[in-house]
Amino acid sequence: MLLSLLILALPGQSASERPHKPITLSSTGGFTIGGRTIPAPSNPNLTLSCDHGYMEYFLPLRPRKTSLVMWHSSSTQVWQNTWSGGPGFKDLFLQRDYPVYLWDGPHVGRANWPCSPTLNLPTSTDATNFLAWNFGPSYKEWWPDVRFPTHDAAAWHQATSARYIEYETKANVDLHARAAATAADSGSAGTNIVYLTNSAAGLRAQLAATLSATTNIKAIVAYESIGFVYPDSANVTAGVGGFGPYVVSGAQFRKLAAVPAVLFVWGDHRGEGFGSLAESRRVAGLINEVGGNARVVKLGEVGVRGATHVPFADLGNEDVAELLEGFLEGEGLDGYVDGEGEGE
């Protein structure tokens, strides 16, 4: 893993110069999972199926054994394209023969059929998005090296308008985590799952691991996770909102630690004083104390500079993909279903 991370700091062929092979799929589709059925509010004699999640899948003709579940906090669009409209992680990893699943959690995106009332109050979301995605220190003041086409107004419009309505409440975190645990345990996305998460989805995936009844979750790779899960022995006060901290029993936390690999990834514009970065270091340490395998990586330290809060959608996201590919290889998650190597 360390060797793979250091490769980008060395001179040589850029990841963006890597030949892109055609994508050959055996099938695509989608399905709902989780949720519940309740009496319809307008008529108790009828029912309402709600609070489910939604999976869209893309299966290569010759697949690897590990499924990549790409879990947005903002929108599935950020996994599909770069900010400039180029290939996103979905295509980059389909080219590498990984089955790809795009996950919409309950109440958002294509899973927006809730069991309870929801409320959205329109506000200055463009400015909020700019800061939340760490494009710069203040609205429309870009980081000088940011991996975004800063002079392309259409790219900015696409980026900010692609974001879904989010419900950052404790109840919604619980709902997402339960649905994701059900998805993992069902085997419908395979029995070797890596949850790739962004932002507040990182908290939800950590919690899902504590609720899962199987060993199907093989890794969590959390890009700029906002929110963390702690054991009740850590002397942490549980939060009341949608960003944690979450406190679980020692037994539940050991289930998170039992996930074979957990990787927290941060961009170079996050200083050590950034609260969530500090939390990730602490939680990684707690996971390792009980026998787990957790690490924290800052992209700027391995040659990827100018990253935003959504590094897999940045210009030059091939470099970030190379790091993830090295991680998967290092953890033995890159094998093919047929048991053979990649070949030609």
Side-chain angles (χ1 to χ4, degrees):
M1 174 61 182
L2 290 177
L3 178 60
S4 298
L5 292 176
L6 289 172
I7 286 174
L8 290 180
L10 301 176
Q13 185 183 43
S14 167
S16 62
E17 297 171 354
R18 170 184 178 142
H20 287 177
K21 72 175 185 178
I23 296 171
T24 307
L25 302 178
S26 64
S27 63
T28 68
F31 54 88
T32 63
I33 196 160
R36 56 197 178 113
T37 300
I38 64 172
S42 59
N43 186 340
N45 295 318
L46 301 176
T47 58
L48 171 65
S49 297
C50 47
D51 283 0
H52 48 265
Y54 180 84
M55 286 276 198
E56 181 179 14
Y57 61 85
F58 305 84
L59 305 182
L61 184 62
R62 181 172 175 244
R64 295 184 191 261
K65 65 183 180 180
T66 298
S67 300
L68 304 182
V69 178
M70 300 183 180
W71 188 343
H72 66 91
S73 176
S74 54
S75 166
T76 54
Q77 181 60 39
V78 296
W79 299 104
Q80 296 180 82
N81 298 103
T82 63
W83 303 123
S84 62
F89 260 34
K90 175 177 75 71
D91 284 359
L92 294 181
F93 281 91
L94 286 174
Q95 288 168 340
R96 291 163 166 83
D97 297 324
Y98 286 92
V100 169
Y101 292 76
L102 300 181
W103 170 245
D104 282 325
H107 294 194
V108 299
R110 293 163 292 180
N112 66 345
W113 200 264
C115 293
S116 55
T118 62
L119 175 66
N120 175 56
L121 298 175
T123 184
S124 55
T125 307
D126 287 353
T128 301
N129 289 349
F130 190 93
L131 295 173
W133 289 342
N134 202 22
F135 292 139
S138 61
Y139 183 45
K140 289 300 183 72
E141 181 187 351
W142 305 89
W143 296 117
D145 60 353
V146 69
R147 291 183 164 210
F148 190 96
T150 57
H151 298 295
D152 187 342
W156 166 242
H157 176 73
Q158 285 290 322
T160 191
S161 61
R163 190 172 184 180
Y164 296 165
I165 295 170
E166 299 178 47
Y167 301 95
E168 303 297 358
T169 64
K170 186 176 185 299
N172 191 259
V173 172
D174 290 332
L175 193 62
H176 278 232
R178 288 196 300 270
T182 298
D185 293 346
S186 72
S188 55
T191 56
N192 290 275
I193 294 171
V194 175
Y195 276 131
L196 302 183
T197 70
N198 177 231
S199 196
L203 169 61
R204 290 160 167 79
Q206 293 168 61
L207 189 59
T210 73
L211 301 174
S212 173
T214 67
T215 60
N216 291 346
I217 303 174
K218 302 304 184 187
I220 297 172
V221 178
Y223 293 99
E224 299 231 332
S225 182
I226 307 297
F228 295 88
V229 172
Y230 292 85
D232 55 13
S233 60
N235 195 28
V236 170
T237 301
V240 296
F243 298 107
Y246 250 76
V247 177
V248 299
S249 69
Q252 283 183 296
F253 190 79
R254 284 191 291 276
K255 291 176 71 174
L256 171 59
V259 173
V262 178
L263 184 66
F264 297 113
V265 183
W266 295 96
D268 55 315
H269 289 296
R270 300 297 193 187
E272 289 297 321
F274 184 63
S276 292
L277 171 57
E279 279 195 274
S280 72
R281 294 197 186 281
R282 183 178 181 191
V283 170
L286 291 169
I287 289 172
N288 294 338
E289 284 178 9
V290 292
N293 172 24
R295 285 163 282 181
V296 177
V297 171
K298 293 190 73 174
L299 293 174
E301 296 174 355
V302 292
V304 180
R305 304 197 179 279
T308 71
H309 180 57
V310 192
F312 46 86
D314 287 345
L315 303 181
N317 65 344
E318 296 95 340
D319 291 339
V320 185
E322 289 279 294
L323 292 174
L324 176 57
E325 185 174 33
F327 169 80
L328 295 170
E329 292 173 355
E331 297 298 335
L333 295 171
D334 61 324
Y336 279 79
V337 170
D338 60 19
E340 298 182 4
E342 181 173 350
E344 296 293 334

